[in-house]
Amino acid sequence: MSLLELENIHSYYGKIHALRGINLDVNEGEIVSLIGANGAGKSTTLRTISGLIRPRHGSIRLAGKEMVGLPPHEIVVAGVGHVPEGRGVFPRLTVRENLEMGAFAVSSQAEVARRMEVTFTLFPRLKERINQKGGTLSGGEQQMLATARGLMLKPRIMLMDEPSMGLAPVLVDAIFDVIRNLNSSEGTTILLVEQNALMALSVCHRGYVLQTGEIVLSDAAENLKRNEMVRKAYLGL
């Protein structure tokens, strides 16, 4: 069953036509990857879903409910979490305060504390640094914090934008282990943008290939790994 559906989405930056009739869907419990070169429209797709960019045409539905036109904070409350490119932690706030910001719509402090403990089972390193300011964490720790903050509202779907960017290889493996665990153990549905196409296809169920704002290919991850165009253009094979 489709949890997230995009139908004929056209998004613009001023006069620049960034997304040209995007159609995609993400089923509940899936990891779906968006693959493409820089400037293909991957991050724009996520920003459009989360309401940071309003499409000029098209429909975005979460569990059948129209999202286009809602302000970003209402889209978050509806169940769309977004871990942006570049992490975007609050550098002067502590780990605890960053996580509390992620739970802005939860009125019960007891529930906030309970959710924080759940995130610490996924990210035990953050518990060790609970009173440390976000800006003093390492790159990998900041990525963990950004992901944990996005989980504090228990989203129905998590949008993850370039989670491995700028990380050492050992930390890339750790982040992708977290993505697998979020999906397999927590049941989190994930729409993943990742420049490392081989890593993305290793964790996802299905993928879409974007070129200059248009989807040119979609298939199961294993089929995309074998596709000659994908192998040459994105996998370096």
Side-chain angles (χ1 to χ4, degrees):
M1 174 183 176
S2 292
L3 174 61
L4 178 71
E5 299 171 281
L6 276 65
E7 183 178 351
N8 194 31
I9 289 293
H10 292 259
S11 292
Y12 290 74
Y13 291 107
K15 294 183 179 180
I16 298 173
H17 196 172
L19 298 182
R20 303 167 179 266
I22 295 291
N23 293 285
L24 67 81
D25 63 273
V26 182
N27 296 322
E28 195 149 14
E30 277 191 313
I31 302 176
V32 173
S33 291
L34 299 181
I35 297 167
N38 288 334
K42 305 185 302 297
S43 294
T44 301
T45 300
L46 298 194
R47 289 169 63 83
T48 300
I49 294 168
S50 62
L52 299 173
I53 299 171
R54 181 174 291 191
R56 293 191 190 176
H57 305 284
S59 174
I60 300 172
R61 295 180 295 275
L62 180 70
K65 179 182 178 182
E66 184 61 56
M67 296 286 108
V68 172
L70 294 181
H73 70 278
E74 290 187 16
I75 293 174
V76 172
V77 172
V80 179
H82 190 171
V83 181
E85 181 182 359
R87 303 169 195 125
V89 303
F90 298 104
R92 297 185 180 182
L93 300 185
T94 65
V95 168
R96 180 193 298 276
E97 290 166 338
N98 267 273
L99 294 176
E100 288 172 345
M101 290 292 285
F104 71 92
V106 181
S107 57
S108 166
Q109 289 304 305
E111 178 62 14
V112 171
R114 189 192 70 78
R115 293 188 187 185
M116 200 174 293
E117 286 303 316
V118 170
T119 66
F120 287 149
T121 63
L122 291 167
F123 305 98
R125 193 177 304 180
L126 294 181
K127 188 169 187 177
E128 299 169 6
R129 290 156 173 73
I130 190 168
N131 294 315
Q132 190 170 329
K133 291 189 183 299
T136 67
L137 300 176
S138 70
E141 290 165 347
Q142 288 189 24
Q143 185 63 57
M144 292 176 189
L145 178 56
T147 304
R149 185 183 61 197
L151 291 170
M152 286 295 289
L153 274 180
K154 297 177 67 175
R156 299 193 67 177
I157 184 168
M158 180 73 86
L159 314 179
M160 302 190 73
D161 196 351
E162 302 286 6
S164 75
M165 180 180 287
L167 300 184
V170 65
L171 292 176
V172 172
D173 290 340
I175 288 297
F176 275 89
D177 284 343
V178 167
I179 291 171
R180 290 186 185 93
N181 193 31
L182 285 175
N183 179 253
S184 62
S185 300
E186 303 297 319
T188 306
T189 304
I190 297 170
L191 180 58
L192 172 67
V193 164
E194 174 54 55
Q195 194 66 35
N196 187 334
L198 191 58
M199 286 294 288
L201 292 176
S202 74
V203 299
C204 74
H205 300 92
R206 295 187 295 117
Y208 292 86
V209 179
L210 273 71
Q211 291 181 358
T212 58
E214 297 181 83
I215 291 174
V216 296
L217 183 64
S218 66
D219 210 333
E222 288 303 317
N223 293 338
L224 289 175
K225 285 182 187 178
R226 293 191 291 267
N227 182 279
E228 195 65 22
M229 182 270 283
V230 174
R231 288 169 63 84
K232 288 181 178 178
Y234 305 112
L235 303 185
L237 301 176

